Amino acid sequence: MNQNYIHTITLYNRIQASDSEDRKEHWKRIVLHNCFWKAQVNTGFNDTQASVQNTYAVRIPKDDRYLPYAEYKNSPEEHFTVSQGDIVICGECTEEITGESGKTAAQVLNRYKPSAFKVTAFSDNTSFPLAKHYRLGG
């Protein structure tokens, strides 16, 4: 095990409304241990304006509970997937995303920033001979 894989993360997988029986968006939470977490603040300058942006990189070691979204949406219990728009929080989070007041995805994400991000990039690096992992970026 890589010595940098020391973090616990909470991953919220979004099941899209078009893929659920009741045609509503659903969120499933899973806590994953022994992950890599890196958050970095980048500053950029454009003419007279400065911009500050957080970038995130998370690596999850290969896990038999992982399923591609097409399979996950039909049997999410005890599994996880990674898709753009999913939410990652550093640490163990017990909150559920229900869509009710105070429990929307945006509200949960904002409550835990800067230790939380929305997934904008994903790669499955489990076909490599060593250090098989899933990489999430945001």
Side-chain angles (χ1 to χ4, degrees):
M1 175 62 66
N2 186 318
Q3 293 180 350
N4 292 317
Y5 285 52
I6 59 171
H7 296 277
T8 297
I9 64 166
T10 303
L11 173 63
Y12 290 91
N13 292 133
R14 178 180 57 156
I15 298 177
Q16 299 175 27
S18 60
D19 294 324
S20 71
E21 289 182 18
D22 62 3
R23 296 294 181 221
K24 293 182 181 176
E25 184 177 83
H26 293 275
W27 293 85
K28 300 291 184 182
R29 177 181 59 87
I30 188 166
V31 175
L32 301 167
H33 301 279
N34 301 316
C35 298
F36 172 84
W37 169 277
K38 180 181 178 184
Q40 184 174 325
V41 177
N42 295 322
T43 306
F45 297 94
N46 183 4
D47 293 330
T48 60
Q49 294 185 346
S51 65
V52 177
Q53 181 180 13
N54 288 354
T55 56
Y56 300 89
V58 167
R59 290 184 181 88
I60 302 169
K62 183 176 179 181
D63 191 312
D64 291 337
R65 296 174 293 174
Y66 173 82
L67 292 174
Y69 180 79
E71 296 173 41
Y72 172 83
K73 68 183 181 181
N74 299 320
S75 60
E77 300 307 319
E78 306 299 321
H79 293 98
F80 71 94
T81 192
V82 181
S83 301
Q84 289 189 4
D86 288 347
I87 293 173
V88 180
I89 297 174
C90 186
E92 188 166 344
C93 184
T94 58
E95 279 195 71
E96 297 289 344
I97 296 174
T98 62
E100 298 170 9
S101 179
K103 296 187 178 226
T104 67
Q107 289 168 323
V108 171
L109 177 65
N110 286 332
R111 255 194 298 281
Y112 290 93
K113 279 187 174 181
S115 295
F117 69 96
K118 189 179 285 193
V119 175
T120 58
F122 171 71
S123 61
D124 181 342
N125 297 325
T126 58
S127 62
F128 297 149
L130 298 172
K132 299 172 186 292
H133 67 278
Y134 311 99
R135 186 188 183 286
L136 294 64

